Amino acid sequence: QVQLVESGGGLVQPGGSLRLSCAASGFIFSNYVMAWYRREPGNQRVLVAAITSDGFTTYGGSVKGRFTISRDGVKGSVYLQMNSLEPEDTGVYYCNADGRPRLEHVYWGRGTQVTVSS
């Protein structure tokens, strides 16, 4: 079965760092764009960062220059290095796998909580 399992969330002070991990299984990892989304008030998910199998990346405007997304094809994992964290970064972060347009499958993890507070 397909699984996306996030880890690495927690409580951190402003200016601190966290590294989120997502372990993927049950599908061919290289066929999917991997991404991190954050849940906003009202349960809307906003794109934080995405990365293709080729290594092309894109970032949301609020995190560009502070966050770095990466993936390990051997381990089948995707990571989000978060530096210079701000209270506005607080939220539940979800791992996402998107096979479109070649493969019509989109998968989501259960999420991991990130709280940035003094």
Side-chain angles (χ1 to χ4, degrees):
Q1 63 182 32
V2 171
Q3 283 192 307
L4 297 175
V5 182
E6 302 98 333
S7 62
L11 175 64
V12 65
Q13 293 184 339
S17 298
L18 284 173
R19 181 176 170 85
L20 305 185
S21 298
C22 173
S25 61
F27 62 96
I28 306 299
F29 189 68
S30 61
N31 290 338
Y32 289 76
V33 174
M34 302 301 297
W36 290 95
Y37 286 78
R38 181 171 64 87
R39 189 173 68 197
E40 300 282 348
N43 287 332
Q44 187 163 314
R45 288 168 172 168
V46 62
L47 177 68
V48 177
I51 184 168
T52 69
S53 293
D54 307 10
F56 289 96
T57 60
T58 188
Y59 295 91
S62 64
V63 307
K64 195 169 187 177
R66 299 187 297 121
F67 292 8
T68 303
I69 189 171
S70 60
R71 62 193 289 164
D72 186 327
V74 176
K75 294 182 178 180
S77 296
V78 61
Y79 308 95
L80 185 68
Q81 179 66 47
M82 304 186 293
N83 299 324
S84 302
L85 282 161
E86 304 168 352
E88 293 74 22
D89 297 318
T90 294
V92 179
Y93 285 72
Y94 295 87
C95 183
N96 168 270
D98 195 333
R100 296 174 294 181
R102 187 71 175 88
L103 302 172
E104 297 300 320
H105 295 101
V106 180
Y107 304 112
W108 293 92
R110 291 180 178 270
T112 185
Q113 177 70 43
V114 172
T115 303
V116 185
S117 177
S118 299

